[in-house]
Amino acid sequence: MIRHGEQAPTAADGEDGGLSDVGRRQADQLGQRLEGIPFAEIHHSPLPRAVQTADVIAAYLPNVPTHACEHATDRTPIPSVEDRVQYPERFLAWLDRVPAQERDENAVGLQAAVEHFSATDADDRHELVITHNFVIGWFVRHVLDAPTWRWIGLDQANCGLTIVQFDTDRPPTLVSFNDIGHL
């Protein structure tokens, strides 16, 4: 899992500005690092900064299919009214200000993403997911079997690499978190 490269400033109309020049260099350095890994697919969020990050990285991974994936889109898990007691009080006011388009009540979408990307079969495969900070934080929280609210504060650098491993016969494993050795 990769967090997209550094975002350019958001446009006056609120549109995602895509990658900054630094973000493009970050994606390029990460692409060089990943070159030669036998990925089965590259899944990316449909937002411009993730699309552009995927395009740069895909240039280093010829013949690897790349596609926008709703499971990789930007989401913020928000507790329902009845589940707010599971979150520390200090986070609730911040969560209340999350924009409507990013809200994922009780992490329904994020849980679907975990189910989708954790599916295993008899053959090993490597899949690259280019996504957003909170999505990666949710996966790490899931793999570590941490409390629901612990995704908060699991911050990744732009183009940081997090590796999770799902196996059929054991719990998931966090192989690396926010590795930025390529930057």
Side-chain angles (χ1 to χ4, degrees):
M1 302 189 87
I2 295 167
R3 184 180 182 193
H4 58 78
E6 180 185 88
Q7 182 177 354
T10 303
D13 62 2
E15 286 295 312
D16 185 328
L19 292 181
S20 68
D21 290 340
V22 169
R24 288 184 189 286
R25 285 193 301 277
Q26 291 168 333
D28 188 65
Q29 290 170 321
L30 182 54
Q32 290 174 41
R33 179 177 181 181
L34 298 176
E35 190 171 23
I37 295 177
F39 287 107
E41 289 184 78
I42 300 172
H43 312 269
H44 62 79
S45 164
L47 294 177
R49 58 192 182 265
V51 172
Q52 293 171 7
T53 301
D55 289 345
V56 171
I57 291 170
Y60 291 94
L61 301 167
N63 304 316
V64 177
T66 302
H67 69 278
C69 178
E70 186 60 29
H71 292 297
T73 199
D74 198 6
R75 303 175 198 280
T76 304
I78 303 296
S80 62
V81 172
E82 53 275 356
D83 288 342
R84 288 172 69 90
V85 296
Q86 296 177 16
Y87 279 69
E89 182 72 31
R90 67 183 180 272
F91 297 124
L92 296 177
W94 176 79
L95 290 166
D96 289 341
R97 292 189 305 271
V98 170
Q101 69 273 17
E102 293 176 20
R103 299 174 77 83
D104 182 10
E105 187 169 306
N106 290 339
V108 171
L110 286 167
Q111 282 304 111
V114 167
E115 289 174 26
H116 176 77
F117 290 120
S118 67
T120 60
D121 57 32
D123 298 323
D124 286 345
R125 69 183 187 280
H126 299 84
E127 296 191 30
L128 185 59
V129 180
I130 300 170
T131 187
H132 306 274
N133 190 45
F134 297 158
V135 176
I136 298 169
W138 185 265
F139 269 79
V140 170
R141 181 221 61 82
H142 171 80
V143 168
L144 297 177
D145 199 24
T148 303
W149 64 272
R150 288 301 293 148
W151 62 269
I152 299 173
L154 292 173
D155 294 328
Q156 290 83 70
N158 293 110
C159 283
L161 176 64
T162 294
I163 301 172
V164 295
Q165 181 176 336
F166 295 98
D167 292 304
T168 55
D169 58 349
R170 63 181 178 174
T173 303
L174 181 63
V175 176
S176 71
F177 175 71
N178 196 34
D179 181 346
I180 55 170
H182 49 277
L183 300 179

